[in-house]
Amino acid sequence: MPVQIPDDSDFASFKEQCLSEEGWTVRYNKGSVTVWCRDEESSTVQKLKMRIVCKDVKAETLYDVLHDTSYRKKWDTNMIDTYDIGRLTVNADVGYYSWKCPTPLKNRDFVTMRSWLPLGNDFLIINYSVKHPQHPPKKDYVRAVSLLTGYLIQSNGASSSTLYYLTQVDPRGSLPKWVVNRVSQFVAPKAMKKIYKASLKYPEWKRKHEPSLKPWMFPEQNTLPCISVSELVLQRADSLENIDESTVKEEKTAQNSDDDEN
């Protein structure tokens, strides 16, 4: 299937999904973090949505943190590797991301097309999986599929913001129920808190690390090779390996104290 770069209607639809509570079930609500889930037709493809209110963090700062690959390596402890592959337009690119799954599951990776749009007091970033001929599935990873993943950042004034994260990922495998529960109860809230904490520290870090370099805001700074959308194909889940991990038992590990923070 051909790949299409998201247009204004796609961003509007994504924003609507983030803000709507109809059809969503609250799975976690503690302090400033809320997690919802929405079961889709397939039990292996769950849609999750999260929200965190970020006091003392500007919307623009959150937007920079989520774009800045160099800084992500400092705070995203679930990430194994990430890199940009090429740019499609001034506000769309293709990139690679791999992440650690809860032990003893196999780690997952993605190749996605990402697009972004600042819109008044809102900032949006969305992605979905694509196939790139030079970045096929790797031996040590399960290639997962992002059907739709993204962020909505809304400004709450001069120094406060709200971050929404919505994701629908096909993990390419039958996962045990404990994984689904752990994601909504522990992994998701912890991830949101990590982004918030990283955003509080970002202005100081950025002042020391090429403070004027923000290619997501200034396209003329982008040095990625140009690629054509015709080089890409929509990543269909049924063309990838599907593994059965439904009987894998959870390995007991001490829960991070962050899970109990507000």
Side-chain angles (χ1 to χ4, degrees):
M1 294 180 65
V3 169
Q4 293 185 325
I5 296 173
D7 58 20
D8 289 352
S9 65
D10 295 312
F11 283 105
S13 172
F14 179 79
K15 178 180 175 180
E16 184 180 346
Q17 289 187 66
C18 287
L19 298 179
S20 172
E21 295 192 17
E22 185 177 345
W24 293 88
T25 302
V26 174
R27 296 292 304 273
Y28 178 98
N29 189 9
K30 188 174 180 181
S32 60
V33 180
T34 307
V35 179
W36 296 265
C37 73
R38 183 174 188 139
D39 290 323
E40 298 297 316
E41 297 166 9
S42 168
S43 61
T44 64
V45 185
Q46 188 180 54
K47 190 179 282 188
L48 280 178
K49 179 169 66 175
M50 301 147 233
R51 180 185 65 200
I52 184 169
V53 178
C54 300
K55 297 177 182 178
D56 301 318
V57 175
K58 296 179 180 179
E60 294 85 352
T61 301
L62 268 172
Y63 187 60
D64 289 347
V65 167
L66 294 170
H67 271 290
D68 198 327
T69 304
S70 297
Y71 188 59
R72 191 176 197 109
K73 295 171 183 176
K74 299 284 185 183
W75 63 266
D76 188 352
T77 54
N78 291 321
M79 182 185 76
I80 299 171
D81 191 19
T82 187
Y83 53 83
D84 298 321
I85 294 170
R87 58 176 164 159
L88 295 162
T89 67
V90 294
N91 70 322
D93 62 17
V94 177
Y96 173 86
Y97 180 87
S98 56
W99 58 287
K100 301 173 191 170
C101 285
T103 305
L105 301 179
K106 287 189 175 182
N107 295 325
R108 262 65 176 177
D109 69 354
F110 302 84
V111 172
T112 61
M113 188 194 72
R114 180 181 62 162
S115 188
W116 55 93
L117 183 69
L119 196 63
N121 291 326
D122 296 339
F123 299 85
L124 298 100
I125 305 171
I126 58 179
N127 78 55
Y128 61 84
S129 284
V130 295
K131 283 200 288 188
H132 188 286
Q134 295 177 9
H135 297 272
K138 298 185 177 184
K139 182 179 66 172
D140 297 327
Y141 294 89
V142 175
R143 178 63 51 90
V145 178
S146 167
L147 301 173
L148 176 65
T149 297
Y151 302 92
L152 166 65
I153 306 162
Q154 294 195 305
S155 175
N156 299 335
S159 60
S160 179
S161 54
T162 299
L163 172 65
Y164 292 86
Y165 174 59
L166 186 149
T167 182
Q168 187 177 22
V169 167
D170 187 334
R172 297 316 297 145
S174 302
L175 297 177
K177 193 166 185 178
W178 66 261
V179 171
V180 178
N181 291 335
R182 183 169 162 187
V183 165
S184 61
Q185 295 296 313
F186 297 105
V187 178
K190 184 178 175 182
M192 296 299 277
K193 293 169 192 170
K194 276 186 181 177
I195 295 172
Y196 177 34
K197 289 180 179 179
S199 299
L200 289 169
K201 298 176 181 178
Y202 181 73
E204 182 181 353
W205 180 89
K206 188 61 176 171
R207 277 194 291 270
K208 302 173 184 176
H209 299 83
E210 301 181 290
S212 61
L213 183 64
K214 295 183 180 183
W216 52 92
M217 290 179 60
F218 309 112
E220 66 275 11
Q221 296 178 346
N222 197 322
T223 59
L224 289 174
C226 291
I227 58 177
S228 169
V229 72
S230 64
E231 298 177 48
L232 307 172
V233 179
L234 191 65
Q235 178 66 76
R236 293 175 57 87
D238 57 14
S239 69
L240 293 167
E241 176 190 16
N242 193 56
I243 62 172
D244 185 0
E245 295 177 298
S246 59
T247 59
V248 171
K249 302 298 183 184
E250 181 175 12
E251 291 190 359
K252 296 297 181 183
T253 56
Q255 290 296 343
N256 192 303
S257 59
D258 285 351
D259 296 333
D260 299 319
E261 293 178 8
N262 291 335

